[in-house]
Structures are given as structure tokens and as C-alpha cells.
Amino acid sequence: MTENFIAYVIFASVAAFTPGPNNVMVSASGANFGYRRTIPHLLGIAFGFPVLLVSVGLGFGQLFTTYPAAHTALKVAGCAYLLFLAWKIGSTPPQNLEEQEHAAEEKQGKPLTFLQAAAFQWVNPKAWTVNVSAVAAFTTLDGYAMQLFYMVLAAIVIGFSSSSTWTLFGQAIGHVLSTPRQQRVFNISMGILLVASLYPILKA
């Protein structure tokens, strides 16, 4: 159990900290809205991802084996939503972080809410791939429930740490983007990266 758990922590850390839809989105949010306003988004990921892990662990992933069409439908829905989010990020108007701290309610752009970020995990193909792979590779029938419990705890800590790191990275970049043109270029670049993250999904 200990060896499997250590292996899972390494696997989950690599998966969490490498670029993917969640990390691209929180980076863009950090750059445009700052860390404080992105916290609900971070908490949504930290909650939604482990809930998905539990669902997969309890057999939800078996649905895709029994009904392949369900997997295709999820992939199509996920890709469509990612394209929508890419457009939203790319079209986000330039923001001023200092003004946001004092008049956030007057801004046109808004970061994802807790519920939106949590719900997004269910159409995030990378989240499905990581969780299905983790349950298949790092659990055994002996003490399965306890293994899943520890994996969920690790997923919460690793996920929040990763998302926070990428948000702070985005916020640091946001402070460097001193002109509206630079901010537009950054937002468009983040939107393109989000679209690029679809490549492994469509290739599979």
C-alpha cells in the first residue's frame, strides 16, 4: 500500500503540475484577476477533481467500457466547452490589477466561480484520463477503500498546490503586462494554448 501510494503521489504531482486545461485557465485568471479573486476557482478544482476520482473509484469509469458512446459524448462535450473557454480567455478585456482590488464588481471580466470550476472537472478530458489511470494502476483489492481515501487526500493537496503555483505564475506575468496590447496578446496566447491542449484528446 505504501509503495503504491508513493507512486501515486509522484504520478499525481507530475500530472497536476504539467500544462493542461486547469493550469492554463488559472494562469490566465491569475494574470487578469489576481490570486485573491481566483481562489474560488482554485477551491473548485480542489473539490471537483477528488469528487471525480471517487466517482471513478466507485465504478463510474466502467460506464465508458460498457457504453463507448458515452465516452465519445463526454469527449465532444469537453472539447466544445474547452473551445468556449478558450474564446472567453482570448477575448477577456485588458484589466488593471490595482483597480480590481478596489472595484472588482465594475469589471467586465469575471473569474470562474467555485461551482463552475468544480463542474468543469466532469468535462475535463485530462482529469478523466488521470483519474481512470490512477485507479487502475495504483489500487489493489486488499484495502481498496482506504487506498482510495488516501488518494483523495493527496489529490486535494497536490491539486490546490499546483493550481496555486500556476495562478501565482500568471499573476506575476500579469504585473509585467503593462499595456492593454500586451495583456491582449497574453490572453489570446492563453486561449491558443487551451485549444492546443485538445490535441492529445483528439488524437486518442
Side-chain angles (χ1 to χ4, degrees), residues 76-203:
V76 171
C79 289
Y81 189 56
L82 282 172
L83 289 174
F84 169 72
L85 290 174
W87 174 79
K88 291 287 288 183
I89 291 173
S91 62
T92 298
Q95 304 285 323
N96 183 300
L97 291 176
E98 292 183 359
E99 290 179 4
Q100 288 172 4
E101 294 296 324
H102 298 92
E105 70 279 358
E106 298 179 2
K107 292 299 171 184
Q108 296 178 9
K110 293 181 180 180
L112 257 62
T113 66
F114 172 86
L115 291 178
Q116 288 172 332
F120 171 69
Q121 305 315 305
W122 287 83
V123 293
N124 180 355
K126 181 181 178 181
W128 276 100
T129 300
V130 169
N131 283 325
V132 171
S133 300
V135 170
F138 304 111
T139 61
T140 62
L141 293 178
D142 183 25
Y144 179 81
M146 188 58 65
Q147 293 172 46
L148 187 61
F149 173 74
Y150 283 120
M151 287 171 67
V152 167
L153 292 182
I156 293 172
V157 174
I158 293 170
F160 188 80
S161 299
S162 169
S163 297
S164 292
T165 299
W166 280 85
T167 302
L168 291 171
F169 170 72
Q171 180 175 262
I173 292 178
H175 285 298
V176 176
L177 305 176
S178 57
T179 68
R181 182 177 181 277
Q182 290 174 335
Q183 292 181 38
R184 288 193 193 95
V185 169
F186 175 80
N187 290 336
I188 292 173
S189 298
M190 290 294 100
I192 292 173
L193 283 176
L194 192 55
V195 172
S197 72
L198 292 173
Y199 175 72
I201 302 165
L202 298 176
K203 186 176 69 170

Side-chain angles (χ1 to χ4, degrees), residues 25-84:
M25 289 164 60
V26 295
S27 294
S29 184
N32 286 285
F33 308 112
Y35 184 87
R36 184 178 62 82
R37 291 189 66 197
T38 306
I39 288 177
H41 189 161
L42 303 182
L43 294 176
I45 294 173
F47 174 79
F49 190 90
V51 168
L52 180 59
L53 173 59
V54 171
S55 299
V56 170
L58 294 179
F60 196 91
Q62 184 64 29
L63 173 69
F64 297 144
T65 302
T66 306
Y67 303 102
H71 182 264
T72 300
L74 177 70
K75 180 182 289 189
V76 171
C79 289
Y81 189 56
L82 282 172
L83 289 174
F84 169 72

